[in-house]
Amino acid sequence: MTFIRLLRYVVLRAASLFITVVVGVYLAILIANMGGYVDEIRKAQIREQVGATMLADQKLRTMPPNEVRRVIDQQIALEETRLGLDRPFLLRSFAYLSDALTLSLGRAERLTSDKGSRQVRDIILERLPATLLLFGTADLIVFFTAIFVALFLSRRYGSWLDKTVVALAPTSSAPAWFYGIFLILIFASVFRILPFGGMVDVPPPESALEYGLSVLQHLILPVSAILVGSLFIAIYNWRTFFLIYSSEDYVEVAKAKGLPSGAIERRYILRPTLPPIITSFAFALISLWSGAIILETVFSWPGLGRLLFQAVGLFDTPVIIGSVVIYAYLLALTVFLLDILYALVDPRVKVGGEAGRSL
Amino acid sequence: MSALREAFKEFTQYPSAIMGLLIIAALIMLSIYTVIAIPYSEGMRLWRGGEDIWIENPRNARPRWVNVFLKERLPETIIVNTPPGAAKLGKPLSGGLRALDMTLSFDYLYDAFPSEINLFLKAKFKENRPYVSFFWVTPDGRRIPLGERSVRGSERFSISLDRNLAQRLGRRPPEIGLFSGPDATIENAVPLKGRYQLQLEGFFFEESSDLEARLVVYGQVHGLAGTDHRRRDLIVALLWGTPVALAFGFLAAVGSTLTTLLIAAIGVWFGRWVDAAIQRVTEVNAILPVLPILIMIGIFYSRSLWVMLGAIILLSIFSLGIKTYRSILLQVKESPYIEAARTYGTGNFRIIFRYMIPRIIPVLIPQFVTLIPSFVFLEAGLAVLGLGDPVLPTWGKVVNDAYANGALYKGYYYWVLAPSVLLMLTGAGFALVGFALDRVFNPRLRTL
């Protein structure tokens, strides 16, 4: 019964997140297509396909050139009609939408993947691990450090350490990329002990171990930038949460019963605060993902954000739209994973009652 | 009213809040000063101007005050003009010829070399151009010929770019060779201090001919903020960035909080499907990739600051603030005075605007204040990505320029630091005030 309720909750959330992705992608298509750019991508694709099939056609080899030209044009027109490029935009936009949602993102105009593929999907998939590595590392560190430090501080409420963290909380009004600039200036420009950017040394080291170490070395600055940008506010928020919950009556009762402080923290403070913490973590992650674009650009980190930046510079429309689609998916996926976690820790979902949360 | 005064009194109990207020006040004063001292049109003319306006500034010069912290004194730009009527002093020679003999002299007392040397010449003549030879006289008395030419209307003699001269100076760039001893190599060269002269000798071929010369020895420091790669004085962008950033942050914060508040109030008041619809839209909106969408707008439409502003407001109408406002408004809706208003037949929108929204102002103010810097940084971020406003100078665009020209690799730290410090001040000022306000208006936090 519990399992079914959980399943129902997860499916409902998945459905609503999918709607979000659809809306986001559709918005991207609308924006991009106002200038007719999406149409151009599709037309270029058709032209290329028709050209390729015609080249392979033996019959055409013997025809005079302008006859060949005419046949090709005819084929293109036929193909365009078949794909509905002559239909009104409203109808066509749904075709694009289904293309984008199934990740058939077309071919890049200028950018290629490192392996040489011009498929937008290949380019993006190649960049995805770098982004996941950087932000996965940083997010996990922020999440766990913040929880433990916040618990520690709520126990030592009013100490100088606590006051320092509270005083440092406003630093988070500046985003991570901003601190990144300072970190680069200090550790790369002035002291020259850490690299300016990138993910590995150039040329990349041969052995796997050295490669890993080099990546680690390049990770230090961007991860620190993210930490400076979001750690203090996270600690501050959670410390406040813990303090509010630790003044509840049932905590006082537990204390009066003489339970050890570790047990009180785990059972009476952490347990009820986890759902709101996960929710706030989800939204912190969303803003992190968005900031990723600028942070990766500042650190020349070869991830999705930098790809988007490069595509902007080269005006490579298919890659830009592809990146937006991927970001929509990534955001939804992040929230979805946290939702499952939420369902696991929130007793209301398990026991029933008011299922679903107000996100 | 007295409640507000009470709140303000409590607010002033926080030293951090006072500091934040002072920073904000300073920024506002700076904006007002900028708008008055450099009017908009003048600011834009300066910022978008090219060599015609900035030719006498050095490239990538550091701010002048770095000299205070350095052991070596870095040179400032030295400009020497020929005195008016200098040409008339030339001795008349036979056949309508007149001797040209001018000297531009200056004292050079710095410990580093200039960054560039240019000579600007402006000749007046009817048919025959004046003919001039140039000589450089060093403090130790050497006289180095720089070349000769007949001067057209107005021209620039880029002494430091003269390859032949560099060859003759022992393959040293002229700005080093001309300012150091004859045997010094590039590595160990130190500038000779003392009086330098540029002598111009030659002939005027016409009675009414005239020649004006202007020697610019470009320094390595300039003004309060230094210059960029296009010789522009960064102070223009730093000053003008202030009102632009404040106005942008403020308008975006006003636009998004007010619309959000209104939507939340409407949802609560009308309830049922309206409320449900608003809730669902908010959930969808929260997970939209905002920055990528803004980037697309920047690429496909317009990078204008005001278009971005509109887009940001549109995307944040259904922001998460709705959830907070909703939970408070739900309580407000049940209060007796609303019921009373209803009984004597007050209209829906009158209740929303006059009875419900005012109650939420205390919650709104801290959020509003902390929102301002986030929008300022959003704009800076877009500019760092190269999507800044094409016309207006902003802090983000200065950082973007600096990045694009490798300022951090080349050691032009001032170029990145000045706009960053201003951005940080803005962020810190509003954040300090916002945090204090949050504690004042949020009784649950007050004791924490």
Side-chain angles (χ1 to χ4, degrees), chain A residues 34 157 178 189 240 290 359, chain B residues 291 301 323 408 420 445 447:
Chain A
M34 289 296 177
Y157 162 66
F178 181 76
S189 299
T240 313
S290 296
L359 188 112
Chain B
L291 191 60
Y301 290 110
K323 299 275 178 192
L408 290 184
S420 307
L445 295 173
T447 48

Side-chain angles (χ1 to χ4, degrees), chain B residues 254-440:
Chain B
V254 169
S256 54
T257 35
L258 285 189
T259 45
T260 303
L261 180 57
L262 184 62
I263 299 275
I266 288 176
V268 168
W269 184 246
F270 290 105
R272 282 196 301 263
W273 67 269
V274 181
D275 191 33
I278 289 174
Q279 294 273 76
R280 296 296 91 73
V281 174
T282 310
E283 278 155 28
V284 168
N285 193 71
I287 310 176
L288 277 187
V290 173
L291 191 60
I293 288 178
L294 287 180
I295 289 174
M296 286 184 67
I297 292 175
I299 295 168
F300 295 130
Y301 290 110
S302 140
R303 301 181 176 188
S304 153
L305 203 59
W306 311 117
V307 171
M308 286 292 169
L309 181 70
I312 288 172
I313 292 177
L314 276 182
L315 284 171
S316 54
I317 288 178
F318 286 96
S319 70
L320 285 174
I322 285 185
K323 299 275 178 192
T324 328
Y325 302 150
R326 183 171 171 271
S327 60
I328 299 161
L329 286 172
L330 278 175
Q331 287 174 7
V332 172
K333 189 186 172 188
E334 302 305 323
S335 23
Y337 78 95
I338 301 270
E339 213 173 314
R342 238 186 207 166
T343 50
Y344 58 75
T346 318
N348 282 333
F349 282 92
R350 191 179 163 80
I351 290 186
I352 290 175
F353 280 107
R354 302 294 298 274
Y355 294 76
M356 285 170 69
I357 288 182
R359 279 295 294 276
I360 209 163
I361 299 288
V363 188
L364 182 119
I365 290 175
Q367 288 203 352
F368 171 76
V369 173
T370 34
L371 262 181
I372 293 177
S374 73
F375 287 122
V376 172
F377 276 107
L378 182 57
E379 191 276 325
L382 283 171
V384 168
L385 289 178
L387 294 169
D389 188 279
V391 185
L392 291 168
T394 63
W395 296 331
K397 272 173 78 183
V398 176
V399 176
N400 179 240
D401 275 348
Y403 244 80
N405 291 286
L408 290 184
Y409 295 91
K410 295 178 189 160
Y412 304 139
Y413 303 138
Y414 69 94
W415 200 356
V416 178
L417 278 179
S420 307
V421 165
L422 282 169
L423 274 171
M424 201 158 68
L425 273 181
T426 313
F430 284 101
L432 288 174
V433 172
F435 269 73
L437 283 174
D438 206 18
R439 285 195 217 172
V440 172

Side-chain angles (χ1 to χ4, degrees), chain B residues 11-37:
Chain B
F11 174 77
T12 52
Q13 303 291 311
Y14 295 94
S16 62
I18 302 290
M19 209 166 83
L21 267 190
L22 286 179
I23 294 175
I24 296 174
L27 287 170
I28 291 175
M29 300 283 275
L30 191 65
S31 308
I32 295 173
Y33 166 78
T34 305
V35 175
I36 293 171

Side-chain angles (χ1 to χ4, degrees), chain A residues 113-163:
Chain A
S113 76
D114 291 344
K115 293 212 180 74
S117 165
R118 301 201 71 159
Q119 290 293 326
V120 172
R121 192 202 325 218
D122 292 343
I123 299 176
I124 287 177
L125 284 181
E126 205 177 71
R127 303 294 194 107
L128 199 54
T131 296
L132 291 180
L133 173 67
L134 174 58
F135 286 88
T137 315
D139 291 343
L140 286 179
I141 295 180
V142 169
F143 186 67
F144 287 109
T145 320
I147 284 195
F148 287 116
V149 175
L151 263 181
F152 178 82
L153 289 182
S154 70
R155 232 179 291 147
R156 281 171 187 64
Y157 162 66
S159 67
W160 64 268
L161 199 66
D162 183 45
K163 281 181 182 149

Side-chain angles (χ1 to χ4, degrees), chain B residues 179-243:
Chain B
F179 280 86
S180 56
D183 310 319
T185 58
I186 297 179
E187 289 78 36
N188 65 11
V190 275
L192 296 174
K193 294 182 187 178
R195 172 147 290 222
Y196 286 83
Q197 286 182 341
L198 178 71
Q199 294 175 347
L200 290 78
E201 290 174 7
F203 302 103
F204 290 117
F205 298 100
E206 290 163 2
E207 190 52 43
S208 57
S209 290
D210 194 2
L211 180 75
E212 284 171 30
R214 185 172 172 81
L215 174 70
V216 182
V217 180
Y218 296 90
Q220 292 190 26
V221 294
H222 182 90
L224 263 177
T227 59
D228 66 4
H229 60 303
R230 286 165 61 186
R231 302 179 190 275
R232 293 180 296 192
D233 195 338
L234 285 178
I235 199 82
V236 177
L238 295 182
L239 281 178
W240 257 100
T242 319

